[in-house]
Amino acid sequence: MLTVKNLYKSYQVGKNRFDVLCGVDLAVRKGEFVAVMGPSGSGKTTLLNCISCYTPADSGSILLDGVELARLKEDELAEVRNRKLGFVFQDFLLLDGLSVRENILLPAILSGNINSTAEARADQLCDVFGISAIRDKYPAEISGGEKQRTAVARALINHPLLVLADEPTGNLDSKSARAVIGTFEQARQALGATIFMVTHDSYAASHCDRVVILQDGRVRRTLEKGGMERGAFQDALLDVIREMGKE
Ligand SMILES: Nc1ncnc2c1ncn2[C@@H]1O[C@H](COP(=O)(O)OP(=O)(O)OP(=O)(O)O)[C@@H](O)[C@H]1O
Ligand SMILES: [Mg+2]
């Protein structure tokens, strides 16, 4: 599904070069829910931006469904962004002038995919996420949790291969954060979605199949949940993060 190999990315600011990603290797299989954690500035968003085709990497490779992103031209990258990827942003970015249903349909409209199949898909997503009753309301008229579910439904409208989320629970209280994670789990179970999420939140990460920890531009640890209970997995994550902090 997604394979990142030996990825390097640095930023040049004036005379200074900042090496942010220094040989990142990771893979996400179809249907997996994977989290990326790591200290602030460790390159999580940069990694996500490279996978999103927003920022070109310096070297290394990103294969999405067997396609090498670095080989694609600008219009082909736009196509990947529109059709193969779904995005969930930290503040959800719903458009105020569009109804819930129209917000969900937006990526289909933007990619020229708007037809009765897309509309049926939007209705199915409203059903899965329990927002059918509010689908004609506007963002100002719905609750925070309903906004989150709308944002996740929107990310799924084009049947993306991969949903990318940067700190989707970042600004939320713990109840809303739980709701977002619940929505991702539902997306995976009911729709077979594959989700790659950057998070600081060990609670959110503890719902994932695998947690990749970035530090100093590399994957320093990978933890598999395996058959572990969620709480035990969260404890294991916290132990590893504490240990890494001491080094
Ligand atoms: N466009 C840019 N130009 C120059 N430096 C940048 C740019 N974007 C990010 N950086 C630097 O790269 C490093 C990694 O940034 P990045 O946003 O990927 O970190 P992060 O792990 O997402 O951090 P956080 O947890 O705070 O969101 C930081 O030191 C940041 O200052
Ligand atoms: Mg970030």
Side-chain angles (χ1 to χ4, degrees), residues 94-139:
L94 298 179
L95 298 188
D96 292 333
L98 299 182
S99 69
V100 163
R101 191 167 183 276
E102 289 163 346
N103 264 291
I104 294 171
L105 280 167
L106 192 60
I109 296 168
L110 292 177
S111 60
N113 255 348
I114 185 75
N115 51 34
S116 57
T117 317
E119 296 197 17
R121 167 84 168 167
D123 293 336
Q124 180 208 5
L125 289 167
C126 285
D127 221 34
V128 168
F129 296 130
I131 48 178
S132 294
I134 55 137
R135 67 184 194 181
D136 295 320
K137 286 188 164 190
Y138 289 84

mmCIF file of all heavy atoms in Angstrom, residues 94-139:
data_model
loop_
_atom_site.group_PDB
_atom_site.id
_atom_site.type_symbol
_atom_site.label_atom_id
_atom_site.label_comp_id
_atom_site.label_asym_id
_atom_site.label_seq_id
_atom_site.Cartn_x
_atom_site.Cartn_y
_atom_site.Cartn_z
ATOM 1 N N LEU A 94 -14.076 22.484 7.553
ATOM 2 C CA LEU A 94 -15.343 22.392 6.810
ATOM 3 C C LEU A 94 -15.662 23.771 6.237
ATOM 4 O O LEU A 94 -15.320 24.791 6.831
ATOM 5 C CB LEU A 94 -16.477 21.948 7.748
ATOM 6 C CG LEU A 94 -16.313 20.574 8.376
ATOM 7 C CD1 LEU A 94 -17.501 20.281 9.287
ATOM 8 C CD2 LEU A 94 -16.160 19.494 7.316
ATOM 9 N N LEU A 95 -16.305 23.795 5.090
ATOM 10 C CA LEU A 95 -16.680 25.083 4.498
ATOM 11 C C LEU A 95 -18.046 25.500 5.030
ATOM 12 O O LEU A 95 -19.028 24.759 4.922
ATOM 13 C CB LEU A 95 -16.695 24.981 2.971
ATOM 14 C CG LEU A 95 -15.350 24.635 2.332
ATOM 15 C CD1 LEU A 95 -15.429 24.742 0.815
ATOM 16 C CD2 LEU A 95 -14.238 25.539 2.857
ATOM 17 N N ASP A 96 -18.094 26.710 5.591
ATOM 18 C CA ASP A 96 -19.303 27.196 6.258
ATOM 19 C C ASP A 96 -20.496 27.335 5.321
ATOM 20 O O ASP A 96 -21.637 27.178 5.748
ATOM 21 C CB ASP A 96 -19.041 28.576 6.891
ATOM 22 C CG ASP A 96 -18.075 28.459 8.049
ATOM 23 O OD1 ASP A 96 -18.038 27.363 8.659
ATOM 24 O OD2 ASP A 96 -17.365 29.432 8.331
ATOM 25 N N GLY A 97 -20.226 27.643 4.064
ATOM 26 C CA GLY A 97 -21.318 27.884 3.123
ATOM 27 C C GLY A 97 -21.895 26.625 2.516
ATOM 28 O O GLY A 97 -22.832 26.690 1.719
ATOM 29 N N LEU A 98 -21.324 25.483 2.854
ATOM 30 C CA LEU A 98 -21.821 24.217 2.315
ATOM 31 C C LEU A 98 -22.465 23.397 3.425
ATOM 32 O O LEU A 98 -22.012 23.421 4.571
ATOM 33 C CB LEU A 98 -20.669 23.402 1.711
ATOM 34 C CG LEU A 98 -19.877 24.011 0.548
ATOM 35 C CD1 LEU A 98 -18.816 23.016 0.070
ATOM 36 C CD2 LEU A 98 -20.804 24.386 -0.599
ATOM 37 N N SER A 99 -23.506 22.647 3.060
ATOM 38 C CA SER A 99 -24.152 21.765 4.036
ATOM 39 C C SER A 99 -23.219 20.594 4.349
ATOM 40 O O SER A 99 -22.188 20.406 3.678
ATOM 41 C CB SER A 99 -25.462 21.225 3.458
ATOM 42 O OG SER A 99 -25.172 20.331 2.398
ATOM 43 N N VAL A 100 -23.583 19.813 5.355
ATOM 44 C CA VAL A 100 -22.823 18.612 5.723
ATOM 45 C C VAL A 100 -22.643 17.713 4.495
ATOM 46 O O VAL A 100 -21.535 17.286 4.165
ATOM 47 C CB VAL A 100 -23.550 17.854 6.859
ATOM 48 C CG1 VAL A 100 -23.052 16.431 7.002
ATOM 49 C CG2 VAL A 100 -23.385 18.619 8.177
ATOM 50 N N ARG A 101 -23.743 17.470 3.798
ATOM 51 C CA ARG A 101 -23.683 16.575 2.644
ATOM 52 C C ARG A 101 -22.797 17.165 1.539
ATOM 53 O O ARG A 101 -22.015 16.461 0.914
ATOM 54 C CB ARG A 101 -25.106 16.327 2.133
ATOM 55 C CG ARG A 101 -25.219 15.217 1.113
ATOM 56 C CD ARG A 101 -26.696 14.861 0.940
ATOM 57 N NE ARG A 101 -26.880 13.754 0.024
ATOM 58 C CZ ARG A 101 -26.937 13.890 -1.293
ATOM 59 N NH1 ARG A 101 -26.772 15.074 -1.832
ATOM 60 N NH2 ARG A 101 -27.122 12.823 -2.053
ATOM 61 N N GLU A 102 -22.906 18.470 1.317
ATOM 62 C CA GLU A 102 -22.071 19.122 0.291
ATOM 63 C C GLU A 102 -20.594 19.119 0.693
ATOM 64 O O GLU A 102 -19.716 18.933 -0.158
ATOM 65 C CB GLU A 102 -22.560 20.559 0.056
ATOM 66 C CG GLU A 102 -23.906 20.614 -0.664
ATOM 67 C CD GLU A 102 -24.602 21.969 -0.537
ATOM 68 O OE1 GLU A 102 -24.210 22.804 0.317
ATOM 69 O OE2 GLU A 102 -25.563 22.182 -1.286
ATOM 70 N N ASN A 103 -20.329 19.313 1.985
ATOM 71 C CA ASN A 103 -18.941 19.230 2.450
ATOM 72 C C ASN A 103 -18.363 17.843 2.187
ATOM 73 O O ASN A 103 -17.221 17.710 1.744
ATOM 74 C CB ASN A 103 -18.860 19.548 3.950
ATOM 75 C CG ASN A 103 -18.494 21.000 4.227
ATOM 76 O OD1 ASN A 103 -17.373 21.433 3.982
ATOM 77 N ND2 ASN A 103 -19.469 21.759 4.719
ATOM 78 N N ILE A 104 -19.158 16.825 2.464
ATOM 79 C CA ILE A 104 -18.694 15.449 2.244
ATOM 80 C C ILE A 104 -18.423 15.211 0.756
ATOM 81 O O ILE A 104 -17.453 14.547 0.381
ATOM 82 C CB ILE A 104 -19.728 14.438 2.800
ATOM 83 C CG1 ILE A 104 -19.801 14.564 4.325
ATOM 84 C CG2 ILE A 104 -19.378 13.007 2.380
ATOM 85 C CD1 ILE A 104 -20.933 13.765 4.958
ATOM 86 N N LEU A 105 -19.255 15.811 -0.089
ATOM 87 C CA LEU A 105 -19.117 15.600 -1.535
ATOM 88 C C LEU A 105 -18.002 16.431 -2.176
ATOM 89 O O LEU A 105 -17.634 16.192 -3.335
ATOM 90 C CB LEU A 105 -20.447 15.925 -2.234
ATOM 91 C CG LEU A 105 -21.489 14.811 -2.160
ATOM 92 C CD1 LEU A 105 -22.857 15.334 -2.586
ATOM 93 C CD2 LEU A 105 -21.089 13.614 -3.046
ATOM 94 N N LEU A 106 -17.453 17.373 -1.407
ATOM 95 C CA LEU A 106 -16.505 18.328 -1.994
ATOM 96 C C LEU A 106 -15.344 17.674 -2.758
ATOM 97 O O LEU A 106 -15.069 18.053 -3.902
ATOM 98 C CB LEU A 106 -15.989 19.272 -0.896
ATOM 99 C CG LEU A 106 -15.222 20.488 -1.383
ATOM 100 C CD1 LEU A 106 -16.087 21.358 -2.294
ATOM 101 C CD2 LEU A 106 -14.755 21.315 -0.189
ATOM 102 N N PRO A 107 -14.638 16.682 -2.185
ATOM 103 C CA PRO A 107 -13.536 16.083 -2.951
ATOM 104 C C PRO A 107 -14.019 15.420 -4.247
ATOM 105 O O PRO A 107 -13.285 15.397 -5.237
ATOM 106 C CB PRO A 107 -12.953 15.036 -1.996
ATOM 107 C CG PRO A 107 -13.373 15.493 -0.645
ATOM 108 C CD PRO A 107 -14.722 16.127 -0.824
ATOM 109 N N ALA A 108 -15.232 14.914 -4.237
ATOM 110 C CA ALA A 108 -15.780 14.313 -5.468
ATOM 111 C C ALA A 108 -16.031 15.404 -6.503
ATOM 112 O O ALA A 108 -15.756 15.237 -7.690
ATOM 113 C CB ALA A 108 -17.067 13.554 -5.159
ATOM 114 N N ILE A 109 -16.524 16.550 -6.035
ATOM 115 C CA ILE A 109 -16.762 17.683 -6.941
ATOM 116 C C ILE A 109 -15.418 18.148 -7.517
ATOM 117 O O ILE A 109 -15.259 18.313 -8.718
ATOM 118 C CB ILE A 109 -17.467 18.841 -6.197
ATOM 119 C CG1 ILE A 109 -18.866 18.390 -5.742
ATOM 120 C CG2 ILE A 109 -17.560 20.090 -7.081
ATOM 121 C CD1 ILE A 109 -19.550 19.326 -4.759
ATOM 122 N N LEU A 110 -14.423 18.294 -6.626
ATOM 123 C CA LEU A 110 -13.117 18.819 -7.060
ATOM 124 C C LEU A 110 -12.415 17.891 -8.040
ATOM 125 O O LEU A 110 -11.665 18.336 -8.893
ATOM 126 C CB LEU A 110 -12.207 19.063 -5.846
ATOM 127 C CG LEU A 110 -12.656 20.191 -4.920
ATOM 128 C CD1 LEU A 110 -11.721 20.292 -3.720
ATOM 129 C CD2 LEU A 110 -12.701 21.527 -5.668
ATOM 130 N N SER A 111 -12.643 16.587 -7.898
ATOM 131 C CA SER A 111 -11.953 15.672 -8.806
ATOM 132 C C SER A 111 -12.827 15.328 -10.016
ATOM 133 O O SER A 111 -12.512 14.431 -10.786
ATOM 134 C CB SER A 111 -11.529 14.402 -8.066
ATOM 135 O OG SER A 111 -12.667 13.762 -7.559
ATOM 136 N N GLY A 112 -13.936 16.046 -10.172
ATOM 137 C CA GLY A 112 -14.788 15.830 -11.336
ATOM 138 C C GLY A 112 -15.522 14.495 -11.301
ATOM 139 O O GLY A 112 -15.957 13.971 -12.323
ATOM 140 N N ASN A 113 -15.637 13.949 -10.097
ATOM 141 C CA ASN A 113 -16.232 12.624 -9.915
ATOM 142 C C ASN A 113 -17.677 12.679 -9.485
ATOM 143 O O ASN A 113 -18.193 11.694 -8.970
ATOM 144 C CB ASN A 113 -15.483 11.925 -8.770
ATOM 145 C CG ASN A 113 -14.554 10.884 -9.288
ATOM 146 O OD1 ASN A 113 -14.625 10.540 -10.451
ATOM 147 N ND2 ASN A 113 -13.690 10.385 -8.423
ATOM 148 N N ILE A 114 -18.302 13.835 -9.596
ATOM 149 C CA ILE A 114 -19.610 13.986 -8.990
ATOM 150 C C ILE A 114 -20.669 13.362 -9.895
ATOM 151 O O ILE A 114 -20.816 13.727 -11.050
ATOM 152 C CB ILE A 114 -19.897 15.471 -8.648
ATOM 153 C CG1 ILE A 114 -21.222 15.598 -7.901
ATOM 154 C CG2 ILE A 114 -19.833 16.377 -9.870
ATOM 155 C CD1 ILE A 114 -21.111 15.155 -6.476
ATOM 156 N N ASN A 115 -21.324 12.341 -9.365
ATOM 157 C CA ASN A 115 -22.377 11.640 -10.101
ATOM 158 C C ASN A 115 -23.241 10.921 -9.069
ATOM 159 O O ASN A 115 -23.039 11.076 -7.868
ATOM 160 C CB ASN A 115 -21.753 10.646 -11.097
ATOM 161 C CG ASN A 115 -20.729 9.760 -10.416
ATOM 162 O OD1 ASN A 115 -20.900 9.418 -9.250
ATOM 163 N ND2 ASN A 115 -19.668 9.412 -11.118
ATOM 164 N N SER A 116 -24.193 10.145 -9.551
ATOM 165 C CA SER A 116 -25.124 9.529 -8.591
ATOM 166 C C SER A 116 -24.416 8.519 -7.693
ATOM 167 O O SER A 116 -24.818 8.290 -6.560
ATOM 168 C CB SER A 116 -26.281 8.875 -9.350
ATOM 169 O OG SER A 116 -25.762 7.944 -10.264
ATOM 170 N N THR A 117 -23.309 7.936 -8.201
ATOM 171 C CA THR A 117 -22.553 6.989 -7.358
ATOM 172 C C THR A 117 -21.939 7.726 -6.172
ATOM 173 O O THR A 117 -21.979 7.239 -5.037
ATOM 174 C CB THR A 117 -21.432 6.323 -8.180
ATOM 175 O OG1 THR A 117 -21.949 5.976 -9.447
ATOM 176 C CG2 THR A 117 -20.881 5.114 -7.479
ATOM 177 N N ALA A 118 -21.370 8.906 -6.447
ATOM 178 C CA ALA A 118 -20.766 9.688 -5.363
ATOM 179 C C ALA A 118 -21.841 10.111 -4.372
ATOM 180 O O ALA A 118 -21.636 10.078 -3.157
ATOM 181 C CB ALA A 118 -20.046 10.909 -5.930
ATOM 182 N N GLU A 119 -22.997 10.494 -4.895
ATOM 183 C CA GLU A 119 -24.069 10.925 -3.992
ATOM 184 C C GLU A 119 -24.559 9.760 -3.129
ATOM 185 O O GLU A 119 -24.823 9.925 -1.942
ATOM 186 C CB GLU A 119 -25.211 11.546 -4.806
ATOM 187 C CG GLU A 119 -24.708 12.807 -5.499
ATOM 188 C CD GLU A 119 -25.815 13.720 -5.999
ATOM 189 O OE1 GLU A 119 -26.967 13.557 -5.545
ATOM 190 O OE2 GLU A 119 -25.517 14.576 -6.832
ATOM 191 N N ALA A 120 -24.622 8.568 -3.726
ATOM 192 C CA ALA A 120 -25.025 7.394 -2.953
ATOM 193 C C ALA A 120 -23.966 7.074 -1.891
ATOM 194 O O ALA A 120 -24.286 6.695 -0.762
ATOM 195 C CB ALA A 120 -25.220 6.199 -3.889
ATOM 196 N N ARG A 121 -22.704 7.263 -2.265
ATOM 197 C CA ARG A 121 -21.600 7.036 -1.326
ATOM 198 C C ARG A 121 -21.701 8.030 -0.148
ATOM 199 O O ARG A 121 -21.515 7.658 1.002
ATOM 200 C CB ARG A 121 -20.283 7.219 -2.077
ATOM 201 C CG ARG A 121 -19.039 7.315 -1.215
ATOM 202 C CD ARG A 121 -18.513 5.956 -0.844
ATOM 203 N NE ARG A 121 -17.177 6.046 -0.271
ATOM 204 C CZ ARG A 121 -16.582 5.051 0.360
ATOM 205 N NH1 ARG A 121 -17.188 3.893 0.495
ATOM 206 N NH2 ARG A 121 -15.383 5.187 0.853
ATOM 207 N N ALA A 122 -22.013 9.290 -0.459
ATOM 208 C CA ALA A 122 -22.155 10.295 0.600
ATOM 209 C C ALA A 122 -23.262 9.877 1.570
ATOM 210 O O ALA A 122 -23.109 9.970 2.792
ATOM 211 C CB ALA A 122 -22.450 11.669 -0.001
ATOM 212 N N ASP A 123 -24.361 9.389 1.023
ATOM 213 C CA ASP A 123 -25.463 8.967 1.883
ATOM 214 C C ASP A 123 -25.071 7.755 2.728
ATOM 215 O O ASP A 123 -25.418 7.653 3.902
ATOM 216 C CB ASP A 123 -26.709 8.677 1.037
ATOM 217 C CG ASP A 123 -27.249 9.963 0.396
ATOM 218 O OD1 ASP A 123 -26.970 11.055 0.950
ATOM 219 O OD2 ASP A 123 -27.913 9.879 -0.649
ATOM 220 N N GLN A 124 -24.294 6.835 2.112
ATOM 221 C CA GLN A 124 -23.821 5.664 2.847
ATOM 222 C C GLN A 124 -22.903 6.103 3.999
ATOM 223 O O GLN A 124 -23.013 5.615 5.127
ATOM 224 C CB GLN A 124 -23.050 4.729 1.896
ATOM 225 C CG GLN A 124 -22.517 3.481 2.587
ATOM 226 C CD GLN A 124 -21.257 2.912 1.922
ATOM 227 O OE1 GLN A 124 -20.702 3.502 0.982
ATOM 228 N NE2 GLN A 124 -20.798 1.782 2.417
ATOM 229 N N LEU A 125 -22.005 7.057 3.715
ATOM 230 C CA LEU A 125 -21.085 7.542 4.745
ATOM 231 C C LEU A 125 -21.848 8.233 5.882
ATOM 232 O O LEU A 125 -21.537 8.035 7.059
ATOM 233 C CB LEU A 125 -20.050 8.495 4.137
ATOM 234 C CG LEU A 125 -19.008 7.820 3.233
ATOM 235 C CD1 LEU A 125 -18.235 8.864 2.418
ATOM 236 C CD2 LEU A 125 -18.036 6.978 4.052
ATOM 237 N N CYS A 126 -22.876 9.013 5.512
ATOM 238 C CA CYS A 126 -23.703 9.658 6.544
ATOM 239 C C CYS A 126 -24.333 8.592 7.446
ATOM 240 O O CYS A 126 -24.398 8.744 8.671
ATOM 241 C CB CYS A 126 -24.804 10.495 5.901
ATOM 242 S SG CYS A 126 -24.225 12.045 5.208
ATOM 243 N N ASP A 127 -24.741 7.516 6.811
ATOM 244 C CA ASP A 127 -25.352 6.405 7.525
ATOM 245 C C ASP A 127 -24.356 5.755 8.488
ATOM 246 O O ASP A 127 -24.631 5.584 9.669
ATOM 247 C CB ASP A 127 -25.772 5.377 6.464
ATOM 248 C CG ASP A 127 -27.106 4.781 6.775
ATOM 249 O OD1 ASP A 127 -27.942 5.528 7.325
ATOM 250 O OD2 ASP A 127 -27.289 3.581 6.484
ATOM 251 N N VAL A 128 -23.175 5.429 7.958
ATOM 252 C CA VAL A 128 -22.141 4.751 8.759
ATOM 253 C C VAL A 128 -21.769 5.607 9.970
ATOM 254 O O VAL A 128 -21.584 5.101 11.070
ATOM 255 C CB VAL A 128 -20.882 4.471 7.897
ATOM 256 C CG1 VAL A 128 -19.712 4.036 8.767
ATOM 257 C CG2 VAL A 128 -21.176 3.406 6.847
ATOM 258 N N PHE A 129 -21.676 6.920 9.765
ATOM 259 C CA PHE A 129 -21.211 7.798 10.840
ATOM 260 C C PHE A 129 -22.351 8.460 11.622
ATOM 261 O O PHE A 129 -22.119 9.346 12.443
ATOM 262 C CB PHE A 129 -20.252 8.855 10.290
ATOM 263 C CG PHE A 129 -18.984 8.264 9.741
ATOM 264 C CD1 PHE A 129 -18.516 8.594 8.489
ATOM 265 C CD2 PHE A 129 -18.255 7.344 10.492
ATOM 266 C CE1 PHE A 129 -17.345 8.028 7.981
ATOM 267 C CE2 PHE A 129 -17.089 6.769 9.993
ATOM 268 C CZ PHE A 129 -16.637 7.110 8.739
ATOM 269 N N GLY A 130 -23.590 8.038 11.358
ATOM 270 C CA GLY A 130 -24.715 8.533 12.155
ATOM 271 C C GLY A 130 -24.992 10.016 11.987
ATOM 272 O O GLY A 130 -25.366 10.692 12.951
ATOM 273 N N ILE A 131 -24.802 10.546 10.790
ATOM 274 C CA ILE A 131 -25.072 11.966 10.574
ATOM 275 C C ILE A 131 -26.124 12.199 9.481
ATOM 276 O O ILE A 131 -26.235 13.300 8.951
ATOM 277 C CB ILE A 131 -23.768 12.763 10.257
ATOM 278 C CG1 ILE A 131 -22.932 12.055 9.188
ATOM 279 C CG2 ILE A 131 -22.951 12.998 11.510
ATOM 280 C CD1 ILE A 131 -21.656 12.799 8.793
ATOM 281 N N SER A 132 -26.901 11.155 9.185
ATOM 282 C CA SER A 132 -27.924 11.299 8.139
ATOM 283 C C SER A 132 -28.937 12.384 8.496
ATOM 284 O O SER A 132 -29.360 13.156 7.631
ATOM 285 C CB SER A 132 -28.660 9.980 7.931
ATOM 286 O OG SER A 132 -27.768 9.028 7.420
ATOM 287 N N ALA A 133 -29.320 12.447 9.772
ATOM 288 C CA ALA A 133 -30.367 13.391 10.175
ATOM 289 C C ALA A 133 -29.915 14.844 10.040
ATOM 290 O O ALA A 133 -30.746 15.744 9.941
ATOM 291 C CB ALA A 133 -30.793 13.102 11.618
ATOM 292 N N ILE A 134 -28.617 15.077 10.048
ATOM 293 C CA ILE A 134 -28.134 16.469 10.005
ATOM 294 C C ILE A 134 -27.480 16.806 8.668
ATOM 295 O O ILE A 134 -26.791 17.810 8.537
ATOM 296 C CB ILE A 134 -27.131 16.743 11.147
ATOM 297 C CG1 ILE A 134 -25.969 15.733 11.095
ATOM 298 C CG2 ILE A 134 -27.809 16.695 12.497
ATOM 299 C CD1 ILE A 134 -24.624 16.357 11.309
ATOM 300 N N ARG A 135 -27.690 15.970 7.667
ATOM 301 C CA ARG A 135 -26.893 16.150 6.450
ATOM 302 C C ARG A 135 -27.212 17.422 5.676
ATOM 303 O O ARG A 135 -26.418 17.865 4.860
ATOM 304 C CB ARG A 135 -27.001 14.925 5.546
ATOM 305 C CG ARG A 135 -28.371 14.733 4.973
ATOM 306 C CD ARG A 135 -28.432 13.459 4.186
ATOM 307 N NE ARG A 135 -29.650 13.470 3.394
ATOM 308 C CZ ARG A 135 -30.034 12.500 2.603
ATOM 309 N NH1 ARG A 135 -29.297 11.418 2.502
ATOM 310 N NH2 ARG A 135 -31.138 12.591 1.924
ATOM 311 N N ASP A 136 -28.390 18.035 5.925
ATOM 312 C CA ASP A 136 -28.708 19.289 5.235
ATOM 313 C C ASP A 136 -28.398 20.525 6.083
ATOM 314 O O ASP A 136 -28.638 21.651 5.659
ATOM 315 C CB ASP A 136 -30.174 19.296 4.796
ATOM 316 C CG ASP A 136 -30.429 18.209 3.754
ATOM 317 O OD1 ASP A 136 -29.547 18.030 2.877
ATOM 318 O OD2 ASP A 136 -31.469 17.525 3.842
ATOM 319 N N LYS A 137 -27.852 20.302 7.281
ATOM 320 C CA LYS A 137 -27.470 21.434 8.129
ATOM 321 C C LYS A 137 -26.114 21.992 7.690
ATOM 322 O O LYS A 137 -25.357 21.329 6.977
ATOM 323 C CB LYS A 137 -27.371 20.980 9.577
ATOM 324 C CG LYS A 137 -28.700 20.740 10.256
ATOM 325 C CD LYS A 137 -28.436 20.486 11.728
ATOM 326 C CE LYS A 137 -29.662 20.604 12.586
ATOM 327 N NZ LYS A 137 -29.279 20.584 14.010
ATOM 328 N N TYR A 138 -25.810 23.186 8.200
ATOM 329 C CA TYR A 138 -24.536 23.837 7.897
ATOM 330 C C TYR A 138 -23.598 23.705 9.103
ATOM 331 O O TYR A 138 -24.066 23.520 10.229
ATOM 332 C CB TYR A 138 -24.785 25.305 7.525
ATOM 333 C CG TYR A 138 -25.448 25.387 6.166
ATOM 334 C CD1 TYR A 138 -26.823 25.241 6.032
ATOM 335 C CD2 TYR A 138 -24.677 25.518 5.014
ATOM 336 C CE1 TYR A 138 -27.423 25.249 4.781
ATOM 337 C CE2 TYR A 138 -25.265 25.529 3.752
ATOM 338 C CZ TYR A 138 -26.636 25.393 3.648
ATOM 339 O OH TYR A 138 -27.217 25.377 2.412
ATOM 340 N N PRO A 139 -22.277 23.796 8.881
ATOM 341 C CA PRO A 139 -21.336 23.599 9.987
ATOM 342 C C PRO A 139 -21.663 24.413 11.241
ATOM 343 O O PRO A 139 -21.496 23.908 12.363
ATOM 344 C CB PRO A 139 -19.996 24.017 9.374
ATOM 345 C CG PRO A 139 -20.135 23.632 7.932
ATOM 346 C CD PRO A 139 -21.568 23.945 7.587
#
